Every structure is written in structure tokens, then in C-alpha cells.
Amino acid sequence: MSSSEPSPCLVLIAPSEHIPTLQKHVPANPGELLTFSDTEPLQALEVITRRRPMLVALERLFAGTPRGAALIGRIKSDQSLAHAQIVIV
């Protein structure tokens, strides 16, 4: 896979206590599942930028915070991530 191709992975960002429950709702066979706590948005963004996942899932309460909104805005503004689907779970 070249670095310009999206990675067959899914990034899930949520409060750490919600991650086990939300993992059960991940689409079947998403490729590699990469999880980040909502306290790690910069680490998540670094991996998202480098790995270019097909899907980024954010827990709904985190998505509504200023950090969550900033992360969504950053992903949407990056042309190299235009393929990435962002979902709120």
C-alpha cells in the first residue's frame, strides 16, 4: 500500500470507560481498530493524519465538546483525509 492510499482501519475516539461498549458497535471487519481516549485528541489526530483511516468514529458527547469539534474540523479541512467518513456514535 502506498502512503497516498487510505488505510483499512477505523479510529474510535471516546471516553475510556465507553470504549469497550462502543467497540461492539463497530462495523464488521473494518480492518484494524485503533482506539483513543477522549483525552488523547492530539495523539488520535497524529495517527489519523499518518494512517488515513477510512472511518473515524467519535462518541457523541466528545464530538460536541470544543476539542471534539476542533478534531472534526481539522479532519474535514485536510484534503488528504477527504475520503475519511466521520461518524458520531
Side-chain angles (χ1 to χ4, degrees):
M1 172 171 43
S2 77
S3 62
S4 64
E5 294 178 19
S7 176
C9 66
L10 180 148
V11 173
L12 172 63
I13 306 163
S16 55
E17 66 271 13
H18 294 170
I19 289 174
T21 301
L22 293 174
Q23 285 176 321
K24 296 175 186 172
H25 301 290
V26 171
N29 198 11
E32 185 177 7
L33 175 62
L34 307 170
T35 60
F36 294 90
S37 167
D38 60 344
T39 62
E40 304 173 306
L42 295 178
Q43 294 90 332
L45 180 59
E46 179 183 326
V47 169
I48 290 166
T49 303
R50 184 171 23 91
R51 296 286 304 270
R52 301 182 61 239
M54 296 298 297
L55 182 65
V56 178
L58 293 93
E59 188 270 337
R60 66 180 180 84
L61 294 177
F62 170 67
T65 67
R67 285 189 299 173
L71 180 61
I72 292 168
R74 174 66 176 82
I75 294 167
K76 287 184 174 184
S77 69
D78 188 333
Q79 288 298 331
S80 72
L81 299 172
H83 67 279
Q85 180 182 2
I86 300 171
V87 296
I88 311 300
V89 292

